[in-house]
Amino acid sequence: MEEAVKVRDAATVMLVREGAQGLEVLLMRRASGHAFMADRWVFPGGRVDARDADAALEGALSQPFEAAEGLADDEDAARAILIAALREVFEETGMMLATLADAADDDASLAAIFGAEPERWQRWRRKLDTGSASMVAFLNALEEVAGQPVRLNAAGLHYYARWITPDFESRRYDTRFFVARAPAGQTVQVDARELVESRWIGPTEAIEAYRKGAILLAPPTLCVLEDLRRFEAPGDLARLFADIEKASIDPVLPQLLDKAPEGDEAVLVLPGDAAYREERVDVEAARCPPGRTLQERSGVTRVVRRDGQWWTERR
């Protein structure tokens, strides 16, 4: 009997800002030689590592710490997911979501610290990325320069969505999507290893670029961008965060339709689609909380591959 692929916890962060035309989100292109999603434009993020569950990081998050409902089975697992999200943002973008105990403006204070010694903090970024230094050591170094306690800004992460890689994939992730305001004064610096290009872009513009073949997107990224289109008008950023506070986050576990309609290469059905079969949901692997339904919030119920490209549909 074939052994099931282990589902690994992961976190990704949609950094957003108010652009000239409205909401912009940060997309980054993965290196062409990468084993997973090569050349795809993605949000910063990655899998949760053992180091994210280090007991020494228990007090590293901004207080008070409250695990979001449905984020994980227990507080320790939820904390590790949040730490992974914040760590990955720094490793992949060079931007830090953190709070300083006595600072009137956290973003301005951190921007000044990083701007004064950019090479020093880039070295720390590489050390974190390679695992040669711990987050505890990094925060201690940052506190020494700041002259005050520094905490990772968990409150700045807003739980937005949860996607689980289908069971037919060779790599499976239980990915929590967060939305966070981009820290003012800090600029994006791609790591040039895993990610090689970045772009601030509106959701509709990103989808249109994908349709034209200018960028490559994976189905979850495409679906989330579809949902963000509801909030991309000028001044809608506040409405986005207000909507998040009211939303119930249910896991999305796509299923491959057994037989695609003529003309379609493949069809991924999502919760809410008439063809979605609840009895096939791998609840144990997905670690879905008992009694919770699987529901995709944006209204998209299937993603169809046609002529080499994924298209979203609502049925």
Side-chain angles (χ1 to χ4, degrees):
M1 184 175 179
E2 187 176 347
E3 186 177 351
V5 177
K6 182 179 179 180
V7 181
R8 299 180 180 276
D9 285 324
T12 190
V13 181
M14 296 177 284
L15 291 168
V16 296
R17 70 181 188 183
E18 187 76 40
Q21 304 300 317
L23 180 146
E24 293 178 341
V25 63
L26 179 65
L27 285 176
M28 308 184 79
R29 184 170 67 83
R30 294 177 70 87
S32 58
H34 204 276
F36 183 66
M37 292 206 299
D39 274 327
R40 298 302 192 270
W41 287 78
V42 299
F43 307 116
R47 71 183 184 186
V48 178
D49 292 341
R51 54 182 165 159
D52 300 315
D54 187 346
L57 287 170
E58 187 171 339
L61 294 176
S62 55
Q63 299 297 322
F65 168 72
E66 295 181 4
E69 182 182 356
L71 182 60
D73 295 332
D74 57 59
E75 186 172 298
D76 290 339
R79 183 183 292 107
I81 290 168
L82 293 172
I83 289 172
L86 294 162
R87 172 182 56 77
E88 288 283 353
V89 167
F90 182 61
E91 289 178 5
E92 296 188 347
T93 73
M95 295 192 292
M96 183 82 176
L97 299 174
T99 62
L100 283 70
D102 301 321
D105 187 334
D106 295 322
D107 288 347
S109 298
L110 284 168
I113 290 172
F114 290 149
E117 297 181 280
E119 293 183 0
R120 176 183 182 181
W121 302 112
Q122 287 306 309
R123 287 195 297 271
W124 270 107
R125 182 182 167 195
R126 288 192 292 271
K127 289 178 182 179
L128 286 171
D129 186 31
T130 60
S132 61
S134 69
M135 179 62 77
V136 172
F138 168 63
L139 291 175
N140 287 340
L142 197 54
E143 286 184 9
E144 185 178 344
V145 174
Q148 55 186 296
V150 179
R151 297 290 181 268
L152 298 172
N153 188 13
L157 293 178
H158 301 265
Y159 189 25
Y160 187 83
R162 181 178 177 184
W163 282 72
I164 299 152
T165 313
D167 57 10
F168 56 82
E169 294 284 3
S170 59
R171 296 178 185 225
R172 299 191 67 194
Y173 298 97
D174 185 350
T175 305
R176 282 70 161 189
F177 286 70
F178 298 94
V179 176
R181 293 179 185 271
Q186 298 185 44
T187 57
V188 180
Q189 302 176 61
V190 296
D191 64 12
R193 183 184 66 84
E194 192 170 331
L195 298 158
V196 294
E197 192 176 351
S198 69
R199 185 185 303 184
W200 287 102
I201 192 168
T204 295
E205 183 183 356
I207 293 169
E208 290 176 350
Y210 170 68
R211 296 291 174 229
K212 294 175 182 176
I215 64 175
L216 296 174
L217 298 173
T221 311
L222 177 61
C223 289
V224 171
L225 287 170
E226 286 272 14
D227 189 45
L228 286 177
R229 294 176 69 178
R230 298 185 293 133
F231 307 101
E232 67 179 347
D236 267 1
L237 203 56
R239 191 167 67 85
L240 165 63
F241 287 100
D243 181 78
I244 292 172
E245 296 306 315
K246 298 182 295 182
S248 175
I249 310 302
D250 299 314
V252 179
L253 179 58
Q255 296 172 352
L256 184 65
L257 199 63
D258 292 332
K259 185 177 181 181
E262 186 176 352
D264 295 338
E265 298 160 13
V267 177
L268 291 176
V269 291
L270 309 178
D273 193 281
Y276 194 85
R277 295 168 55 188
E278 297 290 344
E279 68 271 18
R280 289 174 49 185
V281 176
D282 186 356
V283 176
E284 183 177 356
R287 296 187 296 287
C288 303
R292 293 178 71 91
T293 59
L294 295 175
Q295 184 179 11
E296 209 285 313
R297 185 173 55 185
S298 72
V300 173
T301 64
R302 59 175 55 190
V303 191
V304 181
R305 188 166 181 82
R306 191 177 296 134
D307 298 325
Q309 192 176 55
W310 291 104
W311 298 82
T312 54
E313 292 185 356
R314 295 166 173 81
R315 293 198 177 188

